[in-house]
Amino acid sequence: MHLDFIKTPFTNNPSMQKYSGDLINNSPRSKYIEEKLIQISLRESELCGETELFQKLKLLDKVSNLLDIQKFKTIKDLSIEIEEDIAVMHKGKLEAISFCFPSGWIPTKALGKDFAFLHEPVADNDLLIKSSQKLSKYMCSHSIQRWVWNVTTIKNLSNHPTINRPELSSFEELYFRLETQISTPVDEETSLFLVLVEVVPLNKIWNSRILESINSMSDNVLNYKNLIEIKKYLNGLKF
């Protein structure tokens, strides 16, 4: 796992690069499919949903054509065939989503909402909010990639709000959570958003740049990411 996306000083400002690679893993790993099925069996109504507009415009057919996979009746059905979590924005609003591995939020509560609403809970979000409308339009004309990362005591792919957060006990029980986010145009008014979640033991990929970035985070960001105790613990270790 490369760590080039970890920056110091840390910022939540929009940071992305143009992307021209594959949108999905065409040979999805079984652990993702199996875990998605488990999460959907537990809380489908919170993870998967579509608006009437999404159905009326037959946007799922367009998404299937873009991904070059068979057509499905619902975005949930499509999502359990791929590793990535998936969402569709139309005219700047979220019209469909199937996020089996959310990070501290309930996906379907955002249906029909714009980017500003989606970014509202994020700490130090001023530039994110201000750029939301421009970003939505940009996503309908360019393919882009960005990364969101965190250090956590949760080893699950899902960080649903109801999942228990284990107490910090040792370096070996810390995990690095990475979301690789790709957005690509579906048509002039619609964009597809894909997120691949990876969770690996922190000791397997440890690099001093992780702590340097954490040490540069504002108190708001540390609190938002549940990193206050973890920051103190990591600074007390001798690497």
Side-chain angles (χ1 to χ4, degrees):
M1 178 184 291
H2 77 91
L3 301 176
D4 297 344
F5 50 83
I6 297 181
K7 306 296 184 183
T8 302
F10 177 87
T11 176
N12 266 332
N13 297 340
S15 177
M16 58 197 70
Q17 63 185 37
K18 290 187 177 181
Y19 183 73
S20 59
D22 293 335
L23 296 176
I24 60 174
N25 181 358
N26 292 308
S27 299
R29 290 163 285 185
S30 59
K31 73 171 186 177
Y32 281 89
I33 306 305
E34 292 166 2
E35 186 59 30
K36 280 190 174 188
L37 291 171
I38 291 172
Q39 294 303 316
I40 287 173
S41 71
L42 293 173
R43 47 182 73 92
E44 178 177 342
S45 64
E46 295 183 340
L47 304 179
C48 312
E50 306 171 358
T51 65
E52 291 184 5
L53 181 62
F54 178 81
Q55 298 168 355
K56 179 180 178 181
L57 297 178
K58 297 183 177 180
L59 294 178
L60 187 57
D61 288 348
K62 291 187 176 183
V63 170
S64 298
N65 290 336
L66 176 65
L67 296 177
D68 193 25
I69 57 178
Q70 71 182 81
K71 293 183 179 180
F72 296 90
K73 291 184 178 180
T74 67
I75 196 167
K76 180 204 75 174
D77 294 337
L78 187 158
S79 75
I80 57 178
E81 298 293 327
I82 62 177
E83 291 185 356
E84 297 78 7
D85 277 345
I86 185 170
V88 179
M89 304 286 297
H90 178 73
K91 291 187 176 180
K93 293 184 177 181
L94 181 67
E95 300 296 347
I97 192 165
S98 184
F99 267 31
C100 296
F101 311 133
S103 184
W105 62 300
I106 298 177
T108 53
K109 285 188 175 182
L111 281 170
K113 306 298 184 180
D114 61 15
F115 254 33
F117 177 90
L118 294 173
H119 289 145
E120 182 60 37
V122 178
D124 295 353
N125 63 3
D126 289 350
L127 282 179
L128 273 171
I129 298 296
K130 289 179 182 178
S131 64
S132 289
Q133 188 172 2
K134 185 181 295 185
L135 180 58
S136 295
K137 292 180 179 179
Y138 189 84
M139 290 167 58
C140 291
S141 56
H142 298 83
S143 293
I144 55 178
Q145 184 180 50
R146 67 187 295 262
W147 296 268
V148 175
W149 63 273
N150 199 7
V151 175
T152 177
T153 58
I154 301 175
K155 63 180 179 180
N156 310 65
L157 287 170
S158 174
N159 274 198
H160 187 277
T162 60
I163 289 179
N164 179 56
R165 185 178 298 275
E167 292 185 5
L168 176 57
S169 57
S170 70
F171 184 68
E172 287 70 28
E173 293 180 349
L174 284 171
Y175 298 88
F176 188 81
R177 178 183 174 87
L178 174 64
E179 295 184 6
T180 301
Q181 304 178 353
I182 295 173
S183 175
T184 194
V186 175
D187 58 35
E188 293 181 352
E189 297 179 315
T190 311
S191 62
L192 173 65
F193 189 67
L194 297 155
V195 181
L196 177 64
V197 177
E198 298 173 272
V199 180
V200 298
L202 184 61
N203 61 7
K204 299 293 185 183
I205 54 93
W206 177 253
N207 188 295
S208 60
R209 68 192 303 165
I210 297 173
L211 184 54
E212 291 170 2
S213 186
I214 289 175
N215 283 335
S216 72
M217 293 177 180
S218 70
D219 289 342
N220 286 338
V221 170
L222 290 170
N223 189 56
Y224 169 71
K225 288 179 169 286
N226 290 292
L227 282 173
I228 293 176
E229 183 182 0
I230 291 174
K231 173 187 174 181
K232 182 179 179 180
Y233 178 81
L234 290 176
N235 278 291
L237 297 178
K238 294 181 180 179
F239 293 100

